[in-house]
Amino acid sequence: MVALSHVRFGRRNDEDKAVQKAFIGVGADIPAGATGFFGEQTRSAYAAWRRMLGFTDSAADGFPGCSSLTELGAGCGFVVDCHHPGAIAKSSVRFSRNLGVAVGEATARTFAEQACDRTGAPRSWVTGVGNGAHLLTLMSRESSYQPNAVNPDDVNATGPVQSDGARLNCSRGYAQVISVTSAENHQAGMSDRIYDSVANISAAINYIWRRYGDISRVQQANPRRGPAPYRRREGHARVGTVPRSGILPQGSTQPRDHRDG
């Protein structure tokens, strides 16, 4: 069994070694061999394998997602678990708002750094990765750095009204996650409140890990590109929402569905 949550760029473990052995077995070039470290050599091998299958651009950039890793496992004899290990039941998600949390980039940055530390994402996800993408752009576009932001108007706004006065499936918090995304990508040991600043951002990070492989693949996080909701990559589902019109970034036009599935 290979856990997707363990197969990440920059990490070293037995699951990464199993993936490297699979690539070597199909003729991919990893000069250092199956060391267990997912570095540039493994990323290049992953990208080359995807290109052999006919994928291009971001679908063949070497960052593993659930669909591609499952496909590799099916052909090489291992099973992939795409389930996040910290997941909780959707019914466990609570909806009490934050009290006394300042609105603004500086506060959001602090929480984003804490979320990176808790999830294992590199701090470059806050300062900017190679193509410029980072969490602060995503949060600015999604919530205008408002920790209690909620979108009552988009297609996710369904279900019974909760304790915060919004419907169950509304997008909430800094990263505008919905309850099912918060539950399925919950970081172990953290608050079950969807508005909790670090827990909210951590759930978004874990979702990006699972569905995109890296924040560089999320256009909404890239200040060099126009605002756009989280989009599908290599068959991945979308998450979160564009905020209601009152806090839409300039250039955004309409909300879109970001629910899992």
Side-chain angles (χ1 to χ4, degrees), residues 2-257:
V2 170
L4 174 62
S5 60
H6 292 167
V7 183
R8 297 178 180 174
F9 185 81
R11 290 195 172 183
R12 183 189 300 274
N13 52 54
D14 289 340
E15 280 100 331
D16 287 327
K17 183 177 289 188
V19 171
Q20 291 171 327
K21 288 180 177 179
F23 281 132
I24 293 171
V26 297
D29 182 27
I30 303 180
T35 64
F37 176 69
F38 196 127
E40 286 295 344
Q41 292 183 11
T42 304
R43 179 182 171 185
S44 295
Y46 209 122
W49 172 70
R50 293 287 285 172
R51 289 193 294 270
M52 285 192 299
L53 296 179
F55 292 93
T56 60
D57 300 325
S58 62
D61 58 9
F63 289 109
C66 183
S67 298
S68 63
L69 193 60
T70 298
E71 185 175 0
L72 177 66
C76 296
F78 61 85
V79 176
V80 176
D81 180 10
C82 295
H83 177 265
H84 182 67
I88 60 176
K90 182 179 176 181
S91 59
S92 297
V93 176
R94 295 185 295 128
F95 299 91
S96 54
R97 296 177 186 265
N98 298 298
L99 297 175
V101 177
V103 175
E105 180 178 336
T107 303
R109 178 186 298 273
T110 297
F111 289 132
E113 290 173 346
Q114 293 175 17
C116 285
D117 293 344
R118 293 295 297 268
T119 59
R123 285 285 186 99
S124 60
W125 280 35
V126 180
T127 58
V129 296
N131 70 348
H134 57 81
L135 288 167
L136 292 177
T137 293
L138 185 148
M139 291 188 289
S140 174
R141 289 173 169 177
E142 291 290 332
S143 67
S144 295
Y145 301 131
Q146 298 182 48
N148 288 327
V150 60
N151 187 339
D153 300 322
D154 77 351
V155 292
N156 292 325
T158 61
V161 174
Q162 302 301 301
S163 60
D164 62 348
R167 294 189 178 276
L168 174 65
N169 298 314
C170 285
S171 307
R172 293 169 166 91
Y174 274 124
Q176 289 289 279
V177 298
I178 60 175
S179 56
V180 66
T181 302
S182 179
E184 292 183 353
N185 298 280
H186 177 262
Q187 182 66 27
M190 300 195 67
S191 174
D192 55 7
R193 290 193 308 111
I194 194 169
Y195 288 106
D196 180 88
S197 299
V198 180
N200 184 279
I201 301 168
S202 294
I205 289 173
N206 288 331
Y207 188 92
I208 291 168
W209 276 126
R210 292 174 58 209
R211 299 297 188 182
Y212 294 84
D214 188 75
I215 197 170
S216 63
R217 304 174 76 182
V218 182
Q219 181 174 335
Q220 183 74 326
N222 192 333
R224 300 172 184 171
R225 304 182 66 189
Y230 298 78
R231 300 182 184 278
R232 293 181 184 270
R233 298 290 188 192
E234 60 155 47
H236 299 335
R238 296 168 288 179
V239 63
T241 62
V242 175
R244 60 184 180 275
S245 57
I247 53 175
L248 274 173
Q250 185 176 4
S252 296
T253 56
Q254 62 181 7
R256 306 187 188 187
D257 185 359

